[in-house]
Amino acid sequence: MVAESAGVRSTVVVVTWRGREYIDRCLDTLADQHRPHSTLVLDNASDDGTADILASHKSRPRVLRLARNQGYAGGLAAALPTVHTPFVAWLNDDAAPDPDWLAELEDALDADPTASAAGAVLTRPDGEVQSTGVALTADGHGVDVTTDANPFGFCGGAALLRTSALAEAGGVPRGFFCYYEDTDTAWRLRLAGWRVLAVPSAVATHLHGASSRPGSFRFHRWNERNRLLMLLRCAPAQVAAGQLVRFAVLTAVLPFRANRPDAANFTIRLRLLVLTEILIHSPAAMMARWRIGRRSTARRSVVWNAWAGR
């Protein structure tokens, strides 16, 4: 770990699971950063030789290994109690940040004390922009945008947050496992009165889907479930209730639709699983909603009206 006397203000948390094919590249680019930092790799019980790569890498990252895979959200949540720097970065193991990535993010937060999070631009290997941040749709989805200079939230694949602001907002929703942990966090930060920045000069190349399978059954399960849990936790009550009812009604009528979309999130099995999980997790989500409300300085309806479908 780089000493505090060396000017370290950020801990970069890299969450990995079976990342043998790309974790080396991620760590190489972190070693080349222009700004001193500490690197913490959260290994989600990888069984593919990732641990050997981490042990032998020239940058000698600090490693926290979990006994079982807790996903991206669970990994971040497990890492946060060990972070003692003013800033904490979230970084996918299949992302490779440019050398000035961290410096640009730190400088952006230094320049705006009202901002608690700064998101980078994620590009594909061919240079195509994948994300400049996350927008909030009119029905409460979080979607990556590629042109918005002032998005609702940050993409969690490469972002920097104020550690204290994140902790005060409730940290990372561990139970989400994967997806929507960034949009949920942006919701809570904005409810607490913080701004979220997009920093176009901070760039990371991302091998999108390398560590997950977009379009798979699990992908859609986590997306559908976590969107609804996020709304239950953060959104105005009528929005959360309306979207939950809409999801349930669509599930009920799907067997009678002749033109049912050919996608995993429109299968009855997946949607019933999501509704079952919502039922199981709703008590915890409602308790979280109460805690979030107590910490909030902005009304949920104000945040929703300012950003949803903008």
Side-chain angles (χ1 to χ4, degrees):
M1 183 189 303
V2 183
E4 289 287 340
S5 59
V8 170
R9 296 191 299 149
S10 296
T11 300
V12 181
V13 178
V14 181
V15 178
T16 190
W17 177 68
R18 296 179 180 174
R20 179 182 60 188
E21 295 182 15
Y22 30 81
I23 188 67
D24 206 39
R25 175 172 173 265
C26 178
L27 293 176
D28 286 346
T29 57
L30 284 178
D32 291 337
Q33 290 297 301
H34 294 159
R35 193 65 57 88
H37 62 281
S38 172
T39 298
L40 169 61
V41 180
L42 191 293
D43 184 2
N44 262 319
S46 298
D47 55 5
D48 64 340
T50 295
D52 294 334
I53 294 174
L54 297 177
S56 62
H57 196 271
K58 62 182 180 182
S59 65
R60 299 174 60 87
R62 184 160 55 108
V63 178
L64 176 59
R65 180 175 171 84
L66 300 184
R68 61 182 179 85
N69 182 10
Q70 297 187 27
Y72 194 63
L76 288 171
L80 283 177
T82 74
V83 174
H84 304 294
T85 49
F87 300 133
V88 57
W90 302 4
L91 187 66
N92 282 2
D93 60 356
D94 55 0
D98 287 357
D100 56 355
W101 166 78
L102 182 59
E104 294 290 342
L105 293 176
E106 284 188 351
D107 290 349
L109 290 182
D110 285 341
D112 189 347
T114 69
S116 61
V121 173
L122 290 174
T123 65
R124 302 182 191 278
D126 62 4
E128 179 187 359
V129 174
Q130 176 196 325
S131 177
T132 59
V134 172
L136 190 64
T137 68
D139 58 356
H141 284 84
V143 295
D144 284 309
V145 291
T146 59
T147 57
D148 196 341
N150 183 29
F152 172 76
F154 58 91
C155 176
L160 185 70
L161 293 87
R162 296 187 192 276
T163 308
S164 59
L166 178 59
E168 289 167 6
V172 181
R174 180 190 301 268
F176 278 25
F177 192 84
C178 192
Y179 304 118
Y180 274 90
E181 63 280 330
D182 49 7
T183 312
D184 182 277
T185 299
W187 251 113
R188 289 179 284 114
L189 292 173
R190 288 197 178 276
L191 286 171
W194 290 101
R195 297 182 64 228
V196 176
L197 305 177
V199 185
S201 54
V203 179
T205 303
H206 186 215
L207 302 176
H208 183 57
S211 55
S212 63
R213 292 178 56 201
S216 67
F217 184 93
R218 288 185 177 183
F219 171 88
H220 284 296
R221 167 199 170 194
W222 292 324
N223 267 280
E224 298 288 359
R225 181 196 67 182
N226 292 347
R227 176 182 74 95
L228 293 172
L229 288 175
M230 176 192 72
L231 294 176
L232 285 174
R233 287 159 51 93
C234 301
Q238 67 273 21
V239 172
Q243 288 301 312
L244 185 54
V245 168
R246 181 173 180 240
F247 187 91
V249 169
L250 179 56
T251 301
V253 303
L254 270 179
F256 308 101
R257 287 183 56 174
N259 59 340
R260 184 194 311 176
D262 184 20
N265 56 324
F266 285 95
T267 61
I268 304 301
R269 172 172 168 253
L270 182 143
R271 297 179 74 87
L272 290 177
L273 175 61
V274 168
L275 287 170
T276 301
E277 292 188 358
I278 292 296
L279 183 63
I280 292 171
H281 292 292
S282 59
M286 296 310 294
M287 180 59 69
R289 180 184 182 85
W290 177 78
R291 290 194 296 265
I292 292 165
R294 292 198 61 178
R295 291 190 294 259
S296 297
T297 60
R299 295 179 63 182
R300 300 174 195 269
S301 59
V302 171
V303 175
W304 176 263
N305 292 334
W307 293 100
R310 197 195 66 175

